[in-house]
Amino acid sequence: MTAAHCVTTTDANEDGMYMEAWNINVCIPTANPSNGKDISLTPEFMTVPNDYFDSVEGNDYAIIKVKEDLSAYGEVFLGLGTDESIKNTTLYSLGYAKDANNRMVLKTASGKVNSATERMYNCSIDIYGGTSGGPVYSQCTFGVPGSTDPVKKVQTYKTVVGISVVVFYDPNTQYIYSSSATRITPEILQFAYDNK
């Protein structure tokens, strides 16, 4: 999953039809900062909600299916952040942006949710231009203290509850003055897990 604005456009062509998605490159960096030896993946298809093209809030997301098996890279939980569970929780943003030397560098940031609507989080996370489409996640630790059972031992779990959307940033400093996240809703969750 990523932000729809990272992979397509809302600009219509001369026939009034929306432009095709750009030539999408999906890669997994092998170093931080990226050394240009990234692992390339093969997109098979992509889907974007129709409401994104009508600028309906909370629909800035896309799902890309790649040909390769990604199980070797681990799993991340995708879940719902309820108003009650998110309001006093630190959220984290993760994504790649260019540094002063024009290299792609992994950027992480954390902050709180200032306000939430049914489909969006307004965050106080200092994210950077270029990190749109990255995961916004929460962390929680639980398990049975003292247990050595891999399933029951105390562990920290990361759950993606949103997708970064940059609202405004200064391209000179790459600093975000306002940030928000498309909230993972039951509809997005169901679509992500059930779409064939």
Side-chain angles (χ1 to χ4, degrees):
M1 293 186 80
T2 189
H5 75 262
C6 293
V7 292
T8 191
T9 179
T10 56
D11 296 331
N13 64 16
E14 62 275 1
D15 298 323
M17 300 297 292
Y18 290 108
M19 302 298 282
E20 294 290 327
W22 299 308
N23 185 13
I24 300 168
N25 295 317
V26 180
C27 62
I28 299 173
T30 56
N32 184 35
S34 174
N35 57 13
K37 297 178 182 176
D38 307 330
I39 298 168
S40 294
L41 303 175
T42 311
E44 289 188 323
F45 67 84
M46 175 186 76
T47 186
V48 175
N50 285 333
D51 283 344
Y52 167 72
F53 299 105
D54 294 327
S55 300
V56 176
E57 182 182 76
N59 283 282
D60 191 356
Y61 69 93
I63 299 173
I64 302 170
K65 182 181 184 305
V66 296
K67 184 176 182 179
E68 292 79 9
D69 178 3
L70 301 180
S71 59
Y73 301 103
E75 294 181 3
V76 176
F77 295 111
L78 183 63
L80 306 174
T82 64
D83 289 343
E84 192 61 34
S85 68
I86 292 300
K87 71 180 179 182
N88 293 318
T89 304
T90 299
L91 292 184
Y92 302 86
S93 173
L94 186 65
Y96 274 84
K98 291 187 178 180
D99 67 4
N101 297 318
N102 208 31
R103 299 175 303 174
M104 296 302 287
V105 178
L106 185 64
K107 299 277 189 175
T108 60
S110 62
K112 300 285 185 181
V113 172
N114 296 331
S115 63
T117 67
E118 185 178 321
R119 305 187 64 85
M120 297 292 292
Y121 293 122
N122 177 7
C123 307
S124 64
I125 302 173
D126 294 334
I127 58 177
Y128 297 83
T131 61
S132 281
V136 172
Y137 62 94
S138 63
Q139 291 187 153
C140 60
T141 303
F142 59 92
V144 179
S147 176
T148 56
D149 183 323
V151 176
K152 296 179 182 177
K153 70 180 183 177
V154 176
Q155 298 180 65
T156 300
Y157 295 88
K158 295 176 181 168
T159 302
V160 175
V161 296
I163 300 166
S164 289
V165 179
V166 173
V167 175
F168 175 77
Y169 78 100
D170 181 339
N172 297 318
T173 62
Q174 294 187 342
Y175 180 76
I176 299 299
Y177 292 104
S178 177
S179 62
S180 62
T182 297
R183 189 172 180 164
I184 301 299
T185 62
E187 293 84 7
I188 293 173
L189 192 67
Q190 181 179 10
F191 187 79
Y193 283 123
D194 293 341
N195 183 42
K196 301 297 183 207

